Amino acid sequence: MASQPLNILKQGTLAWLQWRQAHPTVIPDLSHANLSRLNLRGIDLSRCNLSQCLLDHSRLIAANLQQADLSGAQGESLQLLDANLQSANASNGHFANSNFSGADLSFANLIGADLRQCCLQGVNFYHTNLIGANLRYSSLLGANLSQAQLHRANLSETNLNEVSFNEADLSQANLFEAEVGKGQLYKVKLVGADLTQAHLHHSYLFGANLQGATLRKTDVRWSNLAYSNLVGADLEGVNLRGADLSHSDLTGASLVGAKLRGCLLQGANLQGCNLENADLEGVALGRVNLQGAIMPDGQRRC
């Protein structure tokens, strides 16, 4: 039951610290407790059971929540700046409009979490499970999402500038109109993802898997997509000006009306591609596989 730990917590952080030091093996049960609007700056809630608790408008700045159970917690407008949430379980938690700036959520479980309109700048999401999480309208400027699981996550209209997605899984994720400028996306998995009208200019996508992805009117100018998989991708109206697509596989991709001016295509496979009305000015096609491709003038290559 939450009554004893809750009563001690309400006595203040000093009383809580002394109680935890005196009972180092006890896992405090604060499940379903109402902790709304409390100032718990620097509190040690590591390993605590906070499932289904109320944390709306509380201040947990620099708090220790390592390995805490926050599953199903309600924490809108929560302050978690510089907090430690390593390996915490916050699955299906509701944290809309909260501030996590500088927090460490590495190896955390955030499956299905509501993180809409959150400030997540500089957050460490290394190897974090964000499958099905909703991050719409949030700011993740400079965040680390390397090796994170973001399958089916909602990142539409999100600020992802200068974010690291190295070896992350964003299969079937929604990145509609997302800002991913100057991003690090080495070997990122974006199979079937929706990147319509997203901005990925000057990004590093070497070896990325974008098979079946949608990049309609997406801005990928001056990005590095060398050795990437774009088989069957929808690139209609995409802006790839100055991008490096050397040795990439675009078999069967749609590049109708695509802007490829100055693009590097050495060793690329464009077999069966549709390049109708595409801009290929300044593009060397000498070492490109164009077998069966529809060229800008509508003629099909043999």
Side-chain angles (χ1 to χ4, degrees), residues 82 100-105 119-125 139-144 161-163:
D82 299 319
F100 289 78
S101 294
D104 188 351
L105 287 109
C119 182
L120 300 159
Q121 294 184 12
V123 170
N124 183 10
F125 285 109
S139 174
L140 289 93
L141 178 67
N144 177 21
N161 287 318
E162 301 177 31
V163 164

Side-chain angles (χ1 to χ4, degrees), residues 192-271:
D194 185 0
L195 292 134
T196 303
Q197 297 182 45
H199 300 272
L200 289 100
H201 56 89
H202 299 89
S203 291
Y204 188 74
L205 290 134
F206 185 95
N209 188 348
L210 289 140
Q211 186 171 355
T214 301
L215 291 94
R216 286 192 167 213
K217 297 183 179 179
T218 302
D219 180 6
V220 203
R221 291 170 299 148
W222 309 105
S223 292
N224 187 341
L225 292 111
Y227 293 92
S228 293
N229 180 355
L230 288 146
V231 174
D234 185 352
L235 297 150
E236 185 172 337
V238 70
N239 189 348
L240 284 158
R241 180 169 184 171
D244 185 355
L245 283 159
S246 56
H247 304 286
S248 289
D249 190 352
L250 292 98
T251 302
S254 173
L255 287 152
V256 174
K259 299 175 179 65
L260 295 158
R261 183 175 297 193
C263 194
L264 299 178
L265 288 169
Q266 182 179 354
N269 183 5
L270 275 71
Q271 187 174 3

Side-chain angles (χ1 to χ4, degrees), residues 107-296:
F107 296 96
N109 177 4
L110 288 157
I111 294 175
D114 183 359
L115 294 161
R116 289 170 299 157
Q117 295 182 304
C118 285
C119 182
L120 300 159
Q121 294 184 12
V123 170
N124 183 10
F125 285 109
Y126 175 73
H127 224 291
T128 301
N129 192 336
L130 288 149
I131 293 174
N134 190 350
L135 296 106
R136 192 175 187 189
Y137 300 127
S138 293
S139 174
L140 289 93
L141 178 67
N144 177 21
L145 288 125
S146 296
Q147 298 186 35
Q149 298 294 315
L150 290 138
H151 191 74
R152 299 189 309 276
N154 186 355
L155 293 153
S156 60
E157 300 176 86
T158 299
N159 181 356
L160 298 162
N161 287 318
E162 301 177 31
V163 164
S164 173
F165 279 120
N166 292 330
E167 300 182 286
D169 186 354
L170 288 121
S171 299
Q172 298 179 36
N174 180 3
L175 289 108
F176 175 77
E177 289 191 350
E179 297 284 343
V180 203
K182 299 181 181 178
Q184 293 293 315
L185 296 97
Y186 171 74
K187 289 190 175 180
V188 69
K189 190 174 182 181
L190 285 155
V191 177
D194 185 0
L195 292 134
T196 303
Q197 297 182 45
H199 300 272
L200 289 100
H201 56 89
H202 299 89
S203 291
Y204 188 74
L205 290 134
F206 185 95
N209 188 348
L210 289 140
Q211 186 171 355
T214 301
L215 291 94
R216 286 192 167 213
K217 297 183 179 179
T218 302
D219 180 6
V220 203
R221 291 170 299 148
W222 309 105
S223 292
N224 187 341
L225 292 111
Y227 293 92
S228 293
N229 180 355
L230 288 146
V231 174
D234 185 352
L235 297 150
E236 185 172 337
V238 70
N239 189 348
L240 284 158
R241 180 169 184 171
D244 185 355
L245 283 159
S246 56
H247 304 286
S248 289
D249 190 352
L250 292 98
T251 302
S254 173
L255 287 152
V256 174
K259 299 175 179 65
L260 295 158
R261 183 175 297 193
C263 194
L264 299 178
L265 288 169
Q266 182 179 354
N269 183 5
L270 275 71
Q271 187 174 3
C273 275
N274 189 347
L275 290 156
E276 193 168 358
N277 297 320
D279 181 3
L280 293 170
E281 186 175 339
V283 178
L285 298 173
R287 299 181 63 183
V288 180
N289 181 359
L290 290 162
Q291 185 178 1
I294 299 174
M295 301 306 290

